[in-house]
Amino acid sequence: MKKNSITIKAYAKLNLILQIVGKRADGYHLLNSFMQSIDLYDTITVKKKKTLNSQIIIKTEYSKKLLPYITDEFNAPEDVEKNICGKVAKKIMSINNIKNDIEIKIFKRIPIGAGLGGGSSDGAAAANAINELFDLNHTKQQLCNIVKDIGADIPFNIYCGSAIVQGIGEKIKLIDAEFLKDYKFILIYPNIHSSTVEVYRNFKKRLTDTADYVKLLLKNNKNDIESYLVNDLSETVYCLYGKIKIVKEKIENSINKKIFMSGSGSTLFLIFNDAQLMNKTYKLLVKKLSDCLILKTAPLIKKYKGEFYED
């Protein structure tokens, strides 16, 4: 009996490394990034209906932890034209001439505008779900090519796991990051929506450090990996959004740990390979940063055999 619905996890990601290595003539910045899926996830349920109007209905719910951070301005819209899942569904259904109406339920746990790729991950999960539900048999690379113009991070999230991401996000080399299996993360979302467009617009490259930190990390991951985690956008974000810098300074004044930022912000994160220290730090940060969302998570480790996606 064929399924009428399918539910898929849409995993958040961290940029463990994000270097800006150049800029194209059209204004797009060139990246050298290590992207890592984590076990914080939204759930996407796609339901196939019997009615044949090619209509897409989107319904959104939020976890109890995330709900206090949702506003009229910053949320996951239920408008098909504005929601990334709606855009993805519309394109895939059009290409494959799908006439059934569908309902997409999004249960959100990933903060919005946080540099965790929640929207892109939701879109990728919707693509994978529709592909399976309607037996379209698109390969992951074919799905990436269909939806890549909707969001630069969607191709990575269609695969998810660990990857070196370069170009403007279109070059993805999937890797085995087994060295991360003993590490855990604490995420600090400071209840600020960071605009990716504004961050990149205000970014000014400093050419003093030309090291390839992705290569260095992969070569030296038996040692202290914190030494190789960098984000070239962090100083720009701290200048644009003073509250994020204040939160960072509060953390620095409370614990002796390096603090990192994912993507174009606003989420900060700490990395641990000591569970006892992580739990102690988590309890401290929950008390110190009462206006922030504090989450514990871990890397999602997948094994790959040289898979590679490039537009």
Side-chain angles (χ1 to χ4, degrees):
M1 186 176 177
K2 287 190 174 182
K3 295 179 182 177
N4 287 321
S5 71
I6 187 169
T7 299
I8 289 183
K9 292 178 179 178
Y11 292 97
K13 61 84 181 169
L14 288 176
N15 295 89
L16 297 184
I17 295 170
L18 178 54
Q19 293 181 275
I20 311 299
V21 296
K23 191 175 183 180
R24 299 196 321 191
D26 60 8
Y28 282 96
H29 289 82
L30 299 172
L31 313 177
N32 182 44
S33 182
F34 186 115
M35 289 174 66
Q36 176 62 51
S37 298
I38 54 177
D39 69 358
L40 170 65
Y41 57 87
D42 296 341
T43 46
I44 308 297
T45 300
V46 179
K47 184 177 181 181
K48 177 168 59 175
K49 295 178 172 284
K50 292 180 180 179
T51 47
L52 302 173
N53 303 303
S54 299
Q55 184 181 11
I56 301 165
I57 299 166
I58 294 178
K59 295 182 178 179
T60 306
E61 292 182 57
Y62 304 94
S63 70
K64 287 182 180 179
K65 278 190 174 182
L66 184 59
L67 189 58
Y69 301 91
I70 300 301
T71 66
D72 290 339
E73 187 178 2
F74 300 119
N75 55 54
E78 295 185 341
D79 184 335
V80 173
E81 302 299 326
K82 294 180 180 178
N83 188 292
I84 198 164
C85 290
K87 294 175 184 178
V88 165
K90 189 175 180 181
K91 189 163 187 182
I92 293 175
M93 290 171 70
S94 174
I95 287 171
N96 292 278
N97 198 29
I98 295 172
K99 299 300 182 185
N100 296 78
D101 296 344
I102 67 167
E103 179 182 272
I104 303 175
K105 287 185 178 179
I106 306 169
F107 187 82
K108 291 218 49 86
R109 299 176 182 86
I110 304 171
I112 294 167
L116 298 173
S120 296
S121 186
D122 292 349
N128 283 324
I130 294 168
N131 188 44
E132 186 173 338
L133 187 62
F134 286 93
D135 296 318
L136 301 178
N137 297 316
H138 291 303
T139 65
K140 288 188 181 295
Q141 182 156 343
Q142 287 169 337
L143 278 181
C144 289
N145 288 331
I146 291 169
V147 301
K148 65 187 179 185
D149 294 333
I150 298 171
D153 286 344
I154 296 179
F156 166 75
N157 285 298
I158 281 176
Y159 288 97
C160 75
S162 314
I164 301 168
V165 179
Q166 296 176 325
I168 60 170
E170 84 284 10
K171 296 177 182 179
I172 302 169
K173 184 178 181 181
L174 301 162
I175 60 173
D176 183 348
E178 186 75 12
F179 66 89
L180 287 172
K181 66 181 176 61
D182 295 326
Y183 286 90
K184 301 286 188 290
F185 305 103
I186 291 178
L187 311 182
I188 303 100
Y189 173 62
N191 198 16
I192 295 173
H193 180 279
S194 176
S195 167
T196 301
V197 173
E198 284 301 307
V199 171
Y200 275 98
R201 183 182 293 148
N202 285 274
F203 172 75
K204 290 180 175 58
K205 176 67 177 173
R206 288 179 292 181
L207 300 173
T208 53
D209 190 351
T210 57
D212 183 336
Y213 281 95
V214 175
K215 283 185 178 179
L216 289 171
L217 173 62
L218 295 178
K219 185 178 179 181
N220 300 287
N221 56 58
K222 301 286 192 299
N223 304 316
D224 175 20
I225 69 171
E226 290 189 17
S227 303
Y228 307 104
L229 307 191
V230 298
N231 187 330
D232 285 350
L233 297 176
S234 56
E235 291 306 318
T236 302
V237 170
Y238 298 147
C239 287
L240 286 174
Y241 303 99
K243 185 184 174 184
I244 300 175
K245 187 175 182 180
I246 290 170
V247 170
K248 177 178 178 285
E249 289 170 348
K250 279 185 180 179
I251 300 169
E252 287 173 334
N253 291 334
S254 303
I255 60 171
N256 184 28
K257 284 284 290 180
K258 288 183 180 179
I259 303 156
F260 306 98
M261 187 186 77
S262 182
S264 56
S266 59
T267 298
L268 304 173
F269 69 92
L270 307 168
I271 184 168
F272 297 85
N273 59 358
D274 180 331
Q276 188 174 359
L277 177 59
M278 184 186 74
N279 289 327
K280 182 180 177 182
T281 304
Y282 173 79
K283 290 175 183 177
L284 176 65
L285 293 179
V286 168
K287 287 181 182 178
K288 290 271 185 182
L289 304 171
S290 58
D291 56 342
C292 297
L293 177 60
I294 316 293
L295 299 167
K296 290 188 285 186
T297 187
L300 179 71
I301 306 298
K302 285 191 168 188
K303 289 188 177 293
Y304 296 107
K305 294 180 180 178
E307 291 183 76
F308 186 78
Y309 168 73
E310 182 173 359
D311 174 23

